[in-house]
CSV table of all heavy atoms in Angstrom, one decimal:
chain,number,residue,atom,x,y,z
J,95,GLY,N,-16.8,-4.1,25.2
J,95,GLY,CA,-18.0,-4.9,25.3
J,95,GLY,C,-18.7,-5.1,24.0
J,95,GLY,O,-19.1,-6.2,23.7
J,96,LEU,N,-18.8,-4.0,23.2
J,96,LEU,CA,-19.4,-4.1,21.9
J,96,LEU,C,-18.6,-5.0,21.0
J,96,LEU,O,-19.2,-5.8,20.2
J,96,LEU,CB,-19.6,-2.8,21.3
J,96,LEU,CG,-20.6,-1.8,22.0
J,96,LEU,CD1,-20.5,-0.4,21.3
J,96,LEU,CD2,-22.0,-2.4,21.9
J,97,SER,N,-17.3,-5.0,21.1
J,97,SER,CA,-16.5,-5.8,20.2
J,97,SER,C,-16.6,-7.3,20.5
J,97,SER,O,-16.7,-8.1,19.7
J,97,SER,CB,-15.0,-5.4,20.4
J,97,SER,OG,-14.8,-4.0,20.0
J,98,SER,N,-16.7,-7.6,21.9
J,98,SER,CA,-16.8,-9.0,22.3
J,98,SER,C,-18.2,-9.5,21.8
J,98,SER,O,-18.3,-10.7,21.4
J,98,SER,CB,-16.7,-9.1,23.8
J,98,SER,OG,-17.7,-8.4,24.4
J,99,GLU,N,-19.2,-8.7,21.9
J,99,GLU,CA,-20.6,-9.1,21.4
J,99,GLU,C,-20.6,-9.3,19.9
J,99,GLU,O,-21.2,-10.3,19.4
J,99,GLU,CB,-21.6,-8.1,21.8
J,99,GLU,CG,-21.9,-8.0,23.3
J,99,GLU,CD,-22.9,-6.9,23.7
J,99,GLU,OE1,-23.4,-6.3,22.7
J,99,GLU,OE2,-23.1,-6.7,24.9
J,100,THR,N,-19.9,-8.4,19.2
J,100,THR,CA,-19.8,-8.5,17.8
J,100,THR,C,-19.0,-9.8,17.3
J,100,THR,O,-19.4,-10.5,16.4
J,100,THR,CB,-19.2,-7.3,17.1
J,100,THR,OG1,-19.9,-6.1,17.6
J,100,THR,CG2,-19.2,-7.4,15.6
J,101,SER,N,-17.9,-10.1,18.0
J,101,SER,CA,-17.1,-11.2,17.6
J,101,SER,C,-17.6,-12.5,18.1
J,101,SER,O,-17.0,-13.5,17.8
J,101,SER,CB,-15.7,-11.0,18.2
J,101,SER,OG,-15.7,-10.9,19.6
J,102,ALA,N,-18.6,-12.5,19.0
J,102,ALA,CA,-19.2,-13.8,19.5
J,102,ALA,C,-19.7,-14.6,18.3
J,102,ALA,O,-20.3,-14.0,17.4
J,102,ALA,CB,-20.3,-13.5,20.5
J,103,PRO,N,-19.5,-15.9,18.3
J,103,PRO,CA,-20.0,-16.7,17.2
J,103,PRO,C,-21.5,-16.6,17.1
J,103,PRO,O,-22.2,-16.8,18.0
J,103,PRO,CB,-19.5,-18.1,17.5
J,103,PRO,CG,-19.2,-18.1,19.0
J,103,PRO,CD,-18.8,-16.7,19.3
J,104,GLN,N,-22.0,-16.4,15.9
J,104,GLN,CA,-23.4,-16.3,15.6
J,104,GLN,C,-23.9,-17.6,15.3
J,104,GLN,O,-23.3,-18.4,14.6
J,104,GLN,CB,-23.7,-15.3,14.5
J,104,GLN,CG,-23.1,-13.9,14.7
J,104,GLN,CD,-23.9,-13.2,15.9
J,104,GLN,OE1,-25.1,-13.4,16.1
J,104,GLN,NE2,-23.1,-12.4,16.6
J,105,GLN,N,-25.1,-17.9,15.9
J,105,GLN,CA,-25.7,-19.2,15.6
J,105,GLN,C,-26.3,-19.2,14.2
J,105,GLN,O,-27.0,-18.3,13.8
J,105,GLN,CB,-26.8,-19.5,16.6
J,105,GLN,CG,-26.3,-19.7,18.0
J,105,GLN,CD,-27.5,-20.1,18.9
J,105,GLN,OE1,-28.6,-20.0,18.6
J,105,GLN,NE2,-27.1,-20.5,20.1
Side-chain angles (χ1 to χ4, degrees):
L96 292 174
S97 299
S98 61
E99 292 177 3
T100 303
S101 59
Q104 301 295 325
Q105 294 184 353

